[in-house]
């Protein structure tokens, strides 16, 4: 058994030769090769149809069926030129994954043959089975009909022989069963609210766009080692495992030279991503061993989220080609950094970036401060909801340590911007002075002057201002970005609407517009001051201070989900027409049920590994020790035996004690699951799994991990951290 594991580990490290993709032309020459974007539309569509489609995409004009038929025919011609034979509506159900059903471009021709057809109806609308996806009770098994409808703002693309059409997914009765539908509504809400406010400063602005730049962190592990870990295979994380003597404590992996095999994977991934129009920009080693990051150029939010869902699928596929498995779980390995998906959020108009500061003049600076403060107002009022939007059974393992944000939402602004807001709050001087980047000269003649940003960075802040954007660091690596962005867009939209109502009321009373804006900002700066925190988010002092400030400090994942059903949350979502009470209640049912199922699966696998892998091997080793002790006793004097065999006797006793704890714990684990499973309420069942099932696994794991460090290495069947975390 032992030699088998060593053979497996050795084979995993030498099995795969480095595969470097064949050279291609410059990225700019093959970028979006497989995307039916505006450039392809202009080439394949009649001029008047192309103009209509640009109006649909840029201005939200409704798409008529006649235009859809023309677009479908052109799209089919383009796709078939790439060898495409099928099409699918590609949507994002409430599973944090994507879904697709492929249909061929074929119909009967009426003469016993077939003809390739793709109509506007097929492009615009399809009917997936709505009862087979999570619906939170909106759809019963006997109520199966649902609709997917084309989202023209996200261009279709080709993968293999299939034309992929991004769509929304709704029930027969109109409720959203996906992430994209409420996301698009939240984007409309923030556009309308922000445009109305920005008109105070520039009446020429036509619309406000929400931009998103995600940073995708992930782990790679050799496929052979992955397959030998049932917990990784079925849950995405290691449920047990002693830490490696060396992991990330030397800080030598971060930004280090990328291993050759990994570089080949990254190159292959980037080529395929660029061909699909995903503007990959950055790649590097992350902090933990075998952890890496990929980040694109910022895009309009809806498209950025579609691209993130697509890149996660690509990463898994390309990783297997290179002999890896890509781990997107937020915490696959205990004791080292987990993986997040930092969401860099910003607002821009057709004339510039709203959060770009400092401005060229007083009016620009006032506009900048306005949008910073109102963003903070939204985050302050709905800090609990924002936390709920990023919380999950998997992300809960990551938050609160190892450079991940704490489970308290606060915002870091940096010294200079904090001073600007404090000055505006406390003085009667309406001047807003914001310095640009300062120069920093090093005492090295050959090094040019550096430009220093007007904010530092705080790795423990969940929502940090970083120059021209806010970085929401709390979303998890395997999550759909839309969940967090729906909540953030809606919170900011509500704050902007309230701001404009109060400014307009002061103007109606006779105040000058600028004076009305500043007076309202002063009130809001005072109101949302409690959300601002520039210190150490991990400290116990901050947890106590946050509670005193009235921030949400709840740590139980199932209870945190309650924030979606707060009256303030429901009022906000309904007033903005983003989600209804019924949709929110349904989504919470799904969240609680998903939480329960994930912990339930982990508990069952944990028990199986403990009873069928760990205990038999440990007892076998204990037997060998006992046989050795018996043999030693027969040839040694009593004094020699007592001295020379003391350590073995102590280890035999320790093994027996820890095995007893493991067996008792696994029995308790089974009983706790049985009790929890009888609870009818999905919320209460999830809470029971959080409060009773998870703690038992953690207690039992402690003993297993201790045994791993004590038992003969050749006896241990599961690949260890030191083997999985280091690329050779």
């Amino acid at each position: 058994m032992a030699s088998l594991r060593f053979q497996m580990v050795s084979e995993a490290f030498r099995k795969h030769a480095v595969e470097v993709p064949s050279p291609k032309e410059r990225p700019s020459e093959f970028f979006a090769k497989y995307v039916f974007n505006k450039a392809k539309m202009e080439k394949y569509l009649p001029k008047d149809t192309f103009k209509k489609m640009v109006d649909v995409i840029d201005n939200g004009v409704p798409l008529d069926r006649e235009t859809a038929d023309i677009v479908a025919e052109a799209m089919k011609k383009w796709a078939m030129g790439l060898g495409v034979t099928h099409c699918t509506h590609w949507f994002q159900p409430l599973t944090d994954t994507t879904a697709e059903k492929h249909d061929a471009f074929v119909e009967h021709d009426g003469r016993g043959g077939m003809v390739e057809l793709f109509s506007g109806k097929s492009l615009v609308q399809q009917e997936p089975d709505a009862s087979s996806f999570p619906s939170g009770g909106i759809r019963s098994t006997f109520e199966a009909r649902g609709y997917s409808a084309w989202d023209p703002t996200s261009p279709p693309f080709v993968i293999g022989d299939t034309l992929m059409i991004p769509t929304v997914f709704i029930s027969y009765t109109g409720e959203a069963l996906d992430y994209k539908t409420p996301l698009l509504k939240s984007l409309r809400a923030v556009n309308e609210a922000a445009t109305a406010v920005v008109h105070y400063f520039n009446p020429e602005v036509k619309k406000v766009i929400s931009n998103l730049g995600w940073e995708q962190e992930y782990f790679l592990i050799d496929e052979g080692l992955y397959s030998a870990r049932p917990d990784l295979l079925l849950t995405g994380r290691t449920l047990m495992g002693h830490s490696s003597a060396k992991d990330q404590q030397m800080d030598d992996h971060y930004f280090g030279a990328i291993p050759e095999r990994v570089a080949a994977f990254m190159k292959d991934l980037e080529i395929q991503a660029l061909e699909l129009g995903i503007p990959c920009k950055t790649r590097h080693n992350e902090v933990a061993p075998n952890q890496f990051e990929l980040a694109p150029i910022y895009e309009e939010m809806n498209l950025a989220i579609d691209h993130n869902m697509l890149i996660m699928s690509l990463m898994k596929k390309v990783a297997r080609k290179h002999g890896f498995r890509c781990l997107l779980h937020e915490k696959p390995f205990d004791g080292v950094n987990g993986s997040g998906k930092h969401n860099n959020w910003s607002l821009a108009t057709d004339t510039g970036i709203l959060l770009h500061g400092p401005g060229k003049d007083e009016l620009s600076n006032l506009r900048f401060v306005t949008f910073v403060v109102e963003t903070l107002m939204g985050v302050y009022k709905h800090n609990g909801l924002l936390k709920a939007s990023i919380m999950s059974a998997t992300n809960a393992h990551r938050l609160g340590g190892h450079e991940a944000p704490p489970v308290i939402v606060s915002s870091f602004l940096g010294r200079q911007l904090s001073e600007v807001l404090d000055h505006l709050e406390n003085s009667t001087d309406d001047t807003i002075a914001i310095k640009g980047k300062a120069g920093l000269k090093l005492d090295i003649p050959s090094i040019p002057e550096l430009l220093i940003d007007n904010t530092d960075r705080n790795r423990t802040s969940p929502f940090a201002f970083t120059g021209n954007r806010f970085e929401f660091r709390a979303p998890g690596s395997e999550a759909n970005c839309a969940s967090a962005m729906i909540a953030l867009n809606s919170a900011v939209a509500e704050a902007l609407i309230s701001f404009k109502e109060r400014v307009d009321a002061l103007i109606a009373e006779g105040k000058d517009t600028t004076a009305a804006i500043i007076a309202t900002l002063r009130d809001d700066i005072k109101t949302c001051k409690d959300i601002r925190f520039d210190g150490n988010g991990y400290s116990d002092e901050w947890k106590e201070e946050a509670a005193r400030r009235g921030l949400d400090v709840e740590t139980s994942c199932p209870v945190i989900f309650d924030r979606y059903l707060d009256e303030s949350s429901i009022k906000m979502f309904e007033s903005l027409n983003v989600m209804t009470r019924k949709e929110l209640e349904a989504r919470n049912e799904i969240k609680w049920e998903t939480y329960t199922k994930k912990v339930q699966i982990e508990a069952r696998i944990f028990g199986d590994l403990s009873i069928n892998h760990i205990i038999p091997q440990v007892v076998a080793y204990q037997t060998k020790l006992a046989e050795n002790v018996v043999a030693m006793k027969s040839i040694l004097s009593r004094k020699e035996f007592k001295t020379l065999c003391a350590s073995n006797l102590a280890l035999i006793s320790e093994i027996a004690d820890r095995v007893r704890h493991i067996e008792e714990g696994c029995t308790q684990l089974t009983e706790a699951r049985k009790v929890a499973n009888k609870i009818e309420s999905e919320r209460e069942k999830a809470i029971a799994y959080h409060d009773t099932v998870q703690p038992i696994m953690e207690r039992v794991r402690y003993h297993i991990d201790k045994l791993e460090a004590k038992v003969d290495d050749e006896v241990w069947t599961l690949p260890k951290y030191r083997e999985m975390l280091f690329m050779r």
Side-chain angles (χ1 to χ4, degrees):
M1 185 66 71
S3 59
L4 177 62
R5 171 168 149 262
F6 289 133
Q7 290 172 11
M8 174 190 65
V9 172
S10 300
E11 182 66 16
F13 287 131
R14 68 170 180 261
K15 178 179 178 182
H16 297 282
V18 174
E19 298 180 21
V20 181
S22 58
K24 294 209 173 193
E25 61 268 37
R26 296 174 180 174
S28 59
E29 295 173 344
F30 63 83
F31 180 73
K33 175 181 178 180
Y34 297 115
V35 182
F36 195 71
N37 54 16
K38 287 181 180 178
K40 306 291 193 323
M41 287 184 185
E42 189 171 20
K43 179 178 179 181
Y44 285 88
L45 292 175
K47 286 186 178 180
D48 58 336
T49 305
F50 173 67
K51 288 181 180 178
K52 285 183 181 179
M53 283 306 302
V54 170
D55 215 15
V56 169
I57 295 168
D58 291 349
N59 303 316
V61 174
L63 176 68
D64 61 82
R65 288 303 174 104
E66 182 181 351
T67 301
D69 283 333
I70 299 171
V71 173
E73 182 60 31
M75 201 180 290
K76 184 194 73 173
K77 181 179 178 180
W78 166 76
M80 290 181 66
L82 296 171
V84 167
T85 57
H86 289 68
C87 68
T88 182
H89 275 198
W90 182 76
F91 55 97
Q92 301 166 24
L94 300 174
T95 57
D96 281 333
T97 58
T98 57
E100 54 198 64
K101 175 176 68 75
H102 298 202
D103 290 320
F105 287 153
V106 293
E107 293 290 345
H108 289 294
D109 66 356
R111 299 189 298 274
M114 303 294 288
V115 62
E116 288 80 12
L117 285 180
F118 181 53
S119 66
K121 180 181 179 181
S122 298
L123 168 63
V124 170
Q125 179 178 322
Q126 286 187 1
E127 294 187 19
D129 188 342
S131 66
S132 298
F133 290 100
S135 70
I138 288 178
R139 296 272 84 190
S140 300
T141 302
F142 64 89
E143 298 172 319
R145 194 181 298 279
Y147 298 111
S148 55
W150 180 32
D151 170 19
T153 62
S154 184
F157 54 93
V158 167
I159 292 182
D161 65 356
T162 305
L163 174 65
M164 318 286 284
I165 303 163
T167 65
V168 300
F169 178 42
I170 61 172
S171 74
Y172 177 70
T173 47
E175 294 89 359
L177 297 176
D178 67 343
Y179 285 103
K180 183 183 277 283
T181 301
L183 174 70
L184 292 174
K185 291 180 177 181
S186 76
L187 290 171
R188 180 200 59 215
V190 78
N191 169 31
E192 292 175 355
T195 300
V197 171
V198 84
H199 281 168
Y200 289 135
F201 311 99
N202 184 355
E204 302 300 318
V205 168
K206 296 179 180 177
K207 64 179 179 179
V208 172
I209 303 158
S210 298
N211 288 328
L212 173 64
W214 42 263
E215 302 168 24
Q216 181 71 57
E217 295 175 339
Y218 61 97
F219 282 83
L220 291 177
I221 180 174
D222 285 279
E223 190 162 24
L225 301 179
Y226 171 87
S227 299
R229 291 284 311 217
D231 48 357
L232 266 181
L233 187 69
L234 297 175
T235 73
R237 77 178 181 110
T238 53
L239 301 177
M240 54 191 67
H242 196 280
S243 59
S244 174
K246 178 186 181 300
D247 43 55
Q248 68 184 46
Q249 67 266 49
M250 299 301 294
D251 301 320
D252 53 352
H253 186 68
Y254 191 49
F255 280 19
I258 298 172
E260 195 174 4
R261 280 180 61 199
V262 177
F265 155 78
M266 288 178 169
K267 181 177 180 181
D268 199 356
L269 173 66
E270 287 177 5
I271 289 172
Q272 294 191 42
L274 289 166
E275 288 177 334
L276 290 168
I278 305 173
C280 296
K281 176 75 172 178
T282 302
R283 64 188 185 196
H284 62 82
N285 289 5
E286 256 300 335
V287 175
N290 276 17
Q291 187 187 31
F292 309 94
E293 180 177 296
L294 177 152
I297 300 170
Y298 288 28
E299 299 180 282
E300 183 277 324
M301 183 178 290
N302 179 42
L303 183 58
I305 291 173
D306 281 0
H307 280 167
N308 182 249
M309 298 303 293
L310 181 54
I311 200 75
M312 289 194 289
S313 176
L314 276 179
M315 291 166 77
K316 293 177 182 178
K317 182 179 75 172
V318 177
R320 298 194 68 173
K321 176 182 173 183
H322 289 262
F324 294 122
R325 283 300 183 109
C326 178
L327 305 181
L328 294 175
H329 193 289
E330 284 80 1
K331 197 73 171 180
F333 302 102
D334 190 44
V336 298
N337 279 22
S339 295
K341 179 148 51 192
H342 305 166
N343 281 201
N344 292 278
W345 173 90
S346 187
L347 296 176
T349 71
D350 42 334
T351 62
I353 301 174
L354 289 178
L355 294 175
H356 198 297
K360 297 178 181 178
D361 51 43
E362 284 286 326
L363 192 63
S364 297
N365 283 338
L366 181 58
R367 181 212 67 218
F368 166 70
V369 170
T370 296
F371 279 90
V372 167
V373 171
E374 295 315 309
T375 298
L376 293 177
M377 279 290 288
V379 174
Y380 169 68
K381 184 175 180 181
H382 295 287
N383 68 92
L385 173 65
L386 286 172
K387 179 164 66 175
S389 75
I390 56 86
M391 187 55 69
S392 68
T394 53
N395 202 24
H397 293 293
R398 161 183 168 257
L399 297 175
H402 290 99
E403 297 187 353
V407 194
I408 300 171
V409 173
S410 64
S411 184
F412 166 84
L413 297 182
R415 181 178 56 83
Q416 183 182 349
L417 187 51
S418 292
E419 288 176 353
V420 168
L421 298 192
D422 290 342
H423 171 77
L424 189 58
E425 174 192 357
N426 298 315
S427 75
T428 56
D429 180 7
D430 290 348
T431 302
I432 299 176
I434 305 173
K435 297 177 182 179
K437 291 187 178 182
L440 175 65
K441 290 186 178 180
L442 302 178
D443 193 20
I444 306 173
S446 60
I447 302 296
E449 182 181 52
L450 304 179
L451 290 178
I452 305 302
D453 288 285
N454 52 23
T455 67
D456 198 352
R457 299 185 71 184
N458 186 324
R459 300 300 293 273
T460 68
S461 176
F463 196 78
F465 184 73
T466 56
N468 58 3
R469 63 194 182 277
F470 281 95
E471 183 180 15
F472 195 10
R473 297 176 54 84
S477 53
E478 70 176 3
N480 188 321
C481 298
S483 178
M485 294 298 98
I486 291 166
L488 178 58
N489 289 339
S490 301
V492 173
E494 182 189 59
L496 289 168
I497 290 170
S498 171
F499 173 79
K500 186 173 188 305
E501 288 174 349
R502 287 175 289 135
V503 170
D504 287 350
L506 291 176
I507 293 172
E509 293 172 3
K511 264 191 179 283
D512 171 78
T513 298
T514 300
I517 290 172
I518 291 176
T520 307
L521 284 177
R522 280 201 175 100
D523 290 341
D524 287 353
I525 290 170
K526 293 174 184 176
T527 300
C528 70
K529 195 169 186 177
D530 284 339
I531 202 67
R532 291 160 47 192
F533 177 66
D534 290 0
N536 179 10
Y538 293 160
S539 69
D540 291 335
E541 291 80 8
W542 166 236
K543 295 172 186 175
E544 296 171 2
E545 173 64 20
R548 283 194 294 270
R549 293 186 184 190
L551 302 182
D552 192 307
V553 295
E554 178 62 60
T555 59
S556 168
C557 180
V559 176
I560 289 170
F561 292 150
D562 288 346
R563 301 289 71 75
Y564 271 100
L565 300 181
D566 288 345
E567 284 304 315
S568 60
S569 299
I570 294 172
K571 180 182 177 182
M572 176 189 72
F573 284 125
E574 289 194 327
S575 67
L576 297 173
N577 193 30
V578 173
M579 285 186 282
T580 64
R581 180 186 293 269
K582 182 178 181 181
E583 288 172 324
L584 290 166
E585 290 172 345
R587 282 164 194 260
N588 259 32
E589 286 293 305
I590 295 168
K591 287 177 183 292
W592 286 316
E593 184 179 4
T594 300
Y595 180 90
T596 295
K597 287 179 177 178
K598 287 193 174 183
V599 179
Q600 184 182 69
I601 290 169
E602 287 188 351
R604 294 177 66 182
I605 294 166
F606 185 88
D608 175 58
L609 285 176
S610 301
I611 300 300
N612 298 317
H613 283 252
I614 304 303
I615 291 179
Q617 299 308 313
V618 168
V619 171
Y621 178 61
Q622 184 188 41
T623 301
K624 286 178 64 177
L625 290 176
E627 291 171 350
N628 175 264
V629 168
V630 170
M632 294 287 281
K633 187 174 184 179
S634 67
I635 63 175
L636 295 175
S637 68
R638 179 177 295 180
K639 183 177 180 181
E640 288 174 326
F641 175 77
K642 188 175 181 180
T643 302
L644 297 177
C645 293
S647 60
N648 274 2
L649 287 169
L651 182 53
I652 289 170
S653 177
E654 180 182 347
I655 289 174
D657 185 56
R658 294 197 187 281
V659 166
R660 177 180 62 82
H661 279 98
I662 294 169
E663 289 175 332
E664 290 176 354
C666 287
T667 300
Q668 294 168 4
L669 192 61
T670 300
E671 291 305 312
R673 281 185 10 239
K674 288 180 180 178
V675 171
N677 290 340
K678 293 178 181 178
I679 300 173
E680 292 186 6
S681 163
E682 290 295 347
R683 178 184 183 273
E684 298 307 315
K685 185 186 298 183
I687 290 173
Y689 265 88
H690 176 275
D691 292 350
T692 63
V693 176
Q694 273 198 327
I696 296 173
M697 283 197 289
E698 291 169 6
R699 291 199 303 269
V700 176
R701 174 177 181 157
Y702 171 80
H703 293 286
I704 293 174
D705 291 354
K706 288 294 183 182
L707 284 174
E708 182 182 322
K710 298 279 187 177
V711 171
D712 186 345
D713 193 52
E714 290 198 1
V715 171
W716 206 260
T717 58
L718 299 176
K720 297 185 175 183
Y721 274 27
R722 68 168 185 262
E723 295 157 349
M724 293 185 289
L725 278 173
F726 291 92
M727 203 72 62
R728 296 184 190 175

